Amino acid sequence: MNAPVRKIIHCDCDCFYASVEMRDDPSLRGRPLAVGGRPDQRGVIATCNYEARRFGIHSAMATATAVKLCPDLLLIPPNMEKYRTASRQIMEIYRDYTELVEPLSLDEAYLDVTNSPHCKGSATLIAQEIRRRIHETVGITASAGVAPNKFVAKIASDWNKPDGLFLVRPDEVDAFVAALPVKKLFGVGKVTAAKLNRLGAQTCGDLRDWSMDKLQQHFGSFGARLYSLCRGIDERDVNPVRERKSISTEETYTPDVPDLPACLALLPELMEHLAGRIKRNGAEKFINKLFVKIKFSDFQQTTVECVGHAPNLETYRHLMETGWQRASRPVRLLGVGVRLADSEQVEQLRLFDELATH
């Protein structure tokens, strides 16, 4: 007996922090606005509204750069208590429809409504009702994507932003994903996208011509993930328990990597895969350590780590150099990763303490 087709909603609010600020001060609407740290203290942008985005401003951009792009930018320091209050309201609304809610950030989550009795079991009607209730209760807009899996739902939620809803029915998944550029695939950043483009794959449809062996030859273990995603296949469950202690990516090499310079040359691609996993898990705000794992040709294994709040090439280079010198021989496996703090609230506060003081 076949399992029922899953009904997954990805829902997140539009420019969450900026939207809360505009809700509380309507005079801010229609003007380029960002929430973040000060430009004279190496601050960064946490989020910005659509008026600011038209100038090329985006989250994680240095505030000093943002102000150069838009000299009239209104910059507001973050008010985490206000955002957490809105977050609690949003999550309560999500959980009215299903217990299977997987938060990705303060405002964003996956919902599995496959067995939800609400709205006659229609995921689309549930998504519409959630968006309406967020607008009425919290006073901001939200966008949603509805699809049979997490990957497609996440992309669909971006389709009609802001304040939009997009549905991808099960029989539409194949064509929808085939037309997507490969850069839309989870874990594919600029480096991997450029490599795929050079090799002739512009869209997911192009990538379907590649065998599993060819993908693994070029991209190692990540090739199997590419093989599934370019076909719109994503079996991941919506997991309401988010107690991950670390996120990492690793690769086994055949033949062994001969020396330290060759190991260091592999770092950028490993880091790109790691960045994709961190983003998928919404874990950027919770990182408190960085680590490198090395398994040598004789199967001896070592891990080196240090305090850090964001993946950094130079830090990973130093960790890899330290680890490699412990055995100084060819390497069969390399891994890079991050450790996550236990407390979501503590880490939210830490992030914005940094924004305010750097």
Side-chain angles (χ1 to χ4, degrees):
M1 185 174 172
N2 292 332
V5 174
R6 293 189 300 167
K7 300 175 185 178
I8 309 296
I9 300 171
H10 176 267
C11 193
D12 72 319
C13 298
D14 305 310
C15 319
F16 180 49
Y17 305 139
S19 292
V20 172
E21 298 296 346
M22 290 186 291
R23 173 198 71 185
D24 293 347
D25 183 356
S27 72
L28 299 174
R29 291 177 185 162
R31 303 164 69 186
L33 166 73
V35 176
R38 287 168 48 182
D40 59 344
Q41 295 182 342
R42 292 171 54 215
V44 298
I45 301 298
T47 193
C48 61
N49 64 6
Y50 282 90
E51 286 79 5
R53 291 182 191 190
R54 293 193 190 108
F55 290 87
I57 297 168
H58 56 78
S59 60
M61 173 181 279
T63 305
T65 304
V67 172
K68 284 178 185 173
L69 290 171
C70 178
D72 295 328
L73 182 69
L74 293 166
L75 190 65
I76 294 179
N79 183 334
M80 279 312 298
E81 192 51 48
K82 188 158 64 173
Y83 309 149
R84 278 200 300 273
T85 299
S87 173
R88 284 190 288 271
Q89 294 175 295
I90 292 162
M91 292 300 162
E92 283 174 8
I93 291 170
Y94 292 161
R95 292 189 176 99
D96 279 346
Y97 297 88
T98 176
E99 293 178 0
L100 296 176
V101 176
E102 180 179 339
L104 300 176
S105 65
L106 288 180
D107 62 298
E108 177 186 7
Y110 289 114
L111 292 73
D112 186 332
V113 296
T114 307
N115 298 310
S116 176
H118 298 274
C119 303
K120 301 179 182 177
S122 164
T124 306
L125 292 177
I126 289 173
Q128 286 176 341
E129 193 169 291
I130 285 172
R131 292 175 54 248
R132 177 183 58 77
R133 287 182 60 193
I134 289 173
H135 189 257
E136 291 174 356
T137 306
V138 189
I140 61 177
T141 61
S143 295
V146 180
N149 64 51
K150 290 165 80 171
F151 164 54
V152 178
K154 170 86 170 172
I155 291 173
S157 69
D158 270 339
W159 220 249
N160 283 331
K161 268 186 171 289
D163 194 19
L165 171 66
F166 193 76
L167 165 67
V168 183
R169 295 180 176 85
D171 61 354
E172 296 169 344
V173 168
D174 189 71
F176 178 77
V177 175
L180 293 174
V182 290
K183 67 181 180 182
K184 289 285 190 181
L185 293 170
F186 284 160
V188 172
K190 289 181 180 177
V191 175
T192 301
K195 182 175 178 180
L196 285 164
N197 293 163
R198 280 198 311 273
L199 292 167
Q202 305 294 325
T203 67
C204 291
D206 297 335
L207 205 52
R208 292 177 188 178
D209 294 333
W210 294 31
S211 67
M212 176 79 82
D213 286 346
K214 182 178 178 182
L215 281 165
Q216 290 182 322
Q217 175 189 337
H218 284 285
F219 299 100
S221 58
F222 185 58
R225 185 88 179 120
L226 288 173
Y227 186 87
S228 296
L229 287 179
C230 74
R231 289 165 170 78
I233 299 167
D234 180 11
E235 303 292 350
R236 293 174 301 152
D237 291 327
V238 171
N239 180 9
V241 180
R242 298 190 71 246
E243 302 222 352
R244 287 194 79 150
K245 300 299 181 187
S246 66
I247 295 174
S248 63
T249 186
E250 58 186 44
E251 187 61 64
T252 301
Y253 298 97
T254 307
D256 295 336
V257 185
D259 52 27
L260 178 59
C263 289
L264 294 173
L266 294 165
L267 260 178
E269 192 162 9
L270 285 168
M271 283 185 62
E272 189 185 0
H273 290 169
L274 175 65
R277 291 186 175 186
I278 292 169
K279 188 174 181 180
R280 286 202 299 278
N281 285 277
E284 294 95 335
K285 302 177 180 72
F286 314 126
I287 298 166
N288 65 354
K289 286 184 179 177
L290 313 180
F291 68 88
V292 163
K293 173 182 171 183
I294 303 174
K295 186 183 287 184
F296 296 98
S297 54
D298 61 355
F299 289 87
Q300 178 185 342
Q301 186 171 303
T302 188
T303 301
V304 195
E305 63 182 55
C306 69
V307 172
H309 300 304
N312 177 282
L313 181 60
E314 283 309 307
T315 303
Y316 279 125
R317 284 177 65 89
H318 177 70
L319 293 175
M320 189 167 284
E321 288 166 358
T322 302
W324 189 85
Q325 286 162 4
R326 291 175 179 174
S328 301
R329 59 171 57 96
V331 168
R332 62 179 287 109
L333 178 146
L334 290 173
V336 294
V338 295
R339 310 268 184 224
L340 307 179
D342 292 333
S343 169
E344 191 163 305
Q345 285 196 357
V346 166
E347 289 309 298
Q348 288 284 355
L349 284 169
R350 175 187 62 71
L351 173 74
F352 284 97
D353 283 345
E354 286 183 354
L355 289 179
T357 59
H358 277 197

